[in-house]
Amino acid sequence: MVNTGKLQGKTLFITGASRGIGKAIALKAARDGANIVIAAKTAEPHPKLSGTIYTAAEEVVRAGGKALPCILDVRNEQQVQRAVEAAAAYFGGIDISQRRGHGRCSLCNNLPRLQGIYR
């Protein structure tokens, strides 16, 4: 897929981005020059699954983007609030949010309340 640069400087908040489809989206956007919030539960290596928020963040930086790894269970409203606030403080706001992974999503349910953070 061709990199267009359209995501240059944009901030993407991607849940489930430590592996799989979420990480693939993060890496594609990073090649376009995007800022990526790696929001996922995996902070420590899993014995059967590769990848953590930190290894994904390293890959994003190597691909040309900027990264902020955030430990996040999307079902936990306080973790969602802290991660969104951290992203806004670090990158100045959020342009795009992409939900990957399983479970009920507190982030998705609370978007109207977070309007000042989204650009």
Side-chain angles (χ1 to χ4, degrees):
M1 186 172 267
V2 176
N3 294 322
T4 63
K6 289 182 180 180
L7 296 175
Q8 176 74 38
K10 300 289 185 187
T11 298
L12 285 75
F13 190 104
I14 305 173
T15 65
S18 62
R19 62 177 68 94
I21 294 170
K23 187 171 89 171
I25 293 167
L27 292 174
K28 170 59 178 108
R31 287 190 292 276
D32 239 19
N35 306 319
I36 311 294
V37 180
I38 307 289
K41 295 186 289 187
T42 309
E44 299 294 324
H46 188 280
K48 295 183 179 181
L49 301 171
S50 65
T52 69
I53 58 173
Y54 305 110
T55 59
E58 291 169 1
E59 290 182 56
V60 162
V61 171
R62 282 196 304 270
K66 295 179 183 171
L68 175 65
C70 290
I71 298 170
L72 173 67
D73 180 338
V74 296
R75 300 166 294 184
N76 183 311
E77 188 171 339
Q78 284 126 355
Q79 286 183 12
V80 169
Q81 188 66 39
R82 282 194 301 268
V84 168
E85 288 171 359
Y90 194 76
F91 290 124
I94 298 169
D95 298 294
I96 301 166
S97 62
Q98 173 64 51
R99 180 184 175 276
R100 300 296 320 148
H102 303 285
R104 189 174 152 265
C105 182
S106 183
L107 173 65
C108 301
N109 296 335
N110 290 301
L111 285 178
R113 224 171 26 98
L114 303 171
Q115 287 301 334
I117 293 172
Y118 283 86
R119 297 186 269 215

